[in-house]
Amino acid sequence: MFDLLPFERRRNDLMHYFNDWGKDFFGEMGDQISAFRTDIRDKGDHYLLEAELPGFDKKDIGINLEGDTLTISAKHETQNEEKKDNYIRRERSYGSFVRSFDVSGIDTGSIKAEYKNGVLELILPKVVETKPQSRQIDIG
């Protein structure tokens, strides 16, 4: 029988190299370049979502709630210009990151957000289940 080891078949076409450029160039980090790291912890009555967004200003971060989908986006734009003698150097860098989360079972009207030290914290209160009240009905 064949060995049960995973293998990767390489195709020698231009589209393969173009489509997988990020993964080929950056290795395993190529899949994570367009995302940001996020931790979600269960705190009993709420969830705590911590998203690492270092280098962003608060005004560059957007939080959008549409139905049961919470979307966090961050856009970063920097421009550097250096003039020295007859030499001019200009550099620009742009980046945007987007992650979406299912928030069904969350009290969306009570979500709170805070951004400090490069970490966005969202407090996501759980929906409190209401138990139907039972009562005794007298027979007349």
Side-chain angles (χ1 to χ4, degrees), residues 58-71:
K58 189 187 298 188
K59 64 178 172 36
D60 296 333
I61 300 171
I63 303 170
N64 186 32
L65 182 62
E66 187 173 325
D68 286 339
T69 303
L70 177 80
T71 302

Side-chain angles (χ1 to χ4, degrees), residues 23-37:
K23 188 173 182 178
D24 291 341
F25 185 75
F26 294 106
E28 291 179 7
M29 283 185 55
D31 294 335
Q32 299 174 358
I33 290 206
S34 62
F36 48 87
R37 295 177 191 253

